[in-house]
Amino acid sequence: MYFCDKVLKIEERFFPAMSAPLVPLDGQLCFSLYATSIAINRAYKPMLDAMGITYPQYLVLSTLWEGDGQTISAIADRLALESSTITPLVKRLEQAGFLARQRNPQDERQVQAFLTAKGKGLQRETACLTETLLRKSGLTVEQIMALNDQVQALRRELVSRSGNEG
């Protein structure tokens, strides 16, 4: 409780109108980001279903589109997840024919994921996701990019100040 008391005293100093410790849900940035993420996932879902992948699988594929042949741990790091979360996603993508796994010849402990022709071809199909986000949000490309820059800057600051990679 000491930490929260200290934070409240700091908030009262900078935000005197916030005398009540309860911030309404819609006034909390964490909830706004969470609810927006869910709304984006719902907008993407019909298209991802038609492609035969889930949103987490889309993120794994996006990571491989940035650089093919990454290790499971590199994919996990890029997505700020644990390797144990990535492994089942990669296995399902392999079963669906989007990628192939193989041991790293230099280090047998590492498993690399390589896109198949089907996985590479799917990248073109995912362009509809961005188009859908733009259409449904009512925002311009510039507004989406500026918002994304702000959210990324916030994440970088939170990660750097917490000392955690995630």
Side-chain angles (χ1 to χ4, degrees):
M1 200 59 159
Y2 169 75
F3 179 75
C4 289
D5 290 340
K6 186 175 180 180
V7 170
L8 285 175
K9 286 179 184 167
I10 291 170
E11 287 177 356
E12 287 173 3
R13 192 173 97 211
F14 292 108
F15 306 103
M18 293 178 61
S19 58
L22 178 64
V23 177
L25 200 53
D26 289 334
Q28 297 180 35
L29 179 61
C30 59
F31 177 73
S32 296
L33 292 171
Y34 171 76
T36 301
S37 180
I38 289 172
I40 291 170
N41 285 331
R42 286 184 180 149
Y44 285 0
K45 188 173 183 345
M47 293 164 285
L48 292 173
D49 286 349
M51 293 175 210
I53 58 173
T54 64
Y55 183 72
Q57 290 170 336
Y58 165 70
L59 295 178
V60 169
L61 289 168
S62 293
T63 302
L64 291 171
W65 293 328
E66 289 179 352
D68 200 10
Q70 295 184 55
T71 63
I72 301 300
S73 60
I75 295 168
D77 288 346
R78 178 70 175 103
L79 298 177
L81 296 169
E82 297 294 325
S83 294
S84 60
T85 302
I86 299 301
T87 300
L89 296 171
V90 168
K91 284 182 179 180
R92 284 192 294 273
L93 286 166
E94 184 176 41
Q95 290 167 350
F98 292 109
L99 58 82
R101 292 178 300 153
Q102 78 181 61
R103 294 263 173 212
N104 182 343
Q106 283 79 34
D107 186 347
E108 290 286 322
R109 297 170 295 174
Q110 294 182 338
V111 175
Q112 294 174 283
F114 292 91
L115 292 164
T116 62
K118 183 178 178 181
K120 289 175 184 173
L122 191 63
Q123 184 178 8
R124 287 185 299 279
E125 292 182 45
T126 62
C128 64
L129 298 175
T130 301
E131 294 163 8
T132 298
L133 181 60
L134 286 167
R135 189 178 73 254
K136 288 190 173 192
S137 71
L139 299 175
T140 65
V141 171
E142 293 78 16
Q143 289 172 317
I144 291 280
M145 290 172 62
L147 178 58
N148 192 41
D149 288 345
Q150 287 182 303
V151 172
Q152 287 180 9
L154 174 62
R155 182 182 179 278
R156 276 192 305 275
E157 284 301 314
L158 291 170
V159 169
S160 72
R161 292 172 192 254
S162 70
N164 295 330
E165 287 295 324

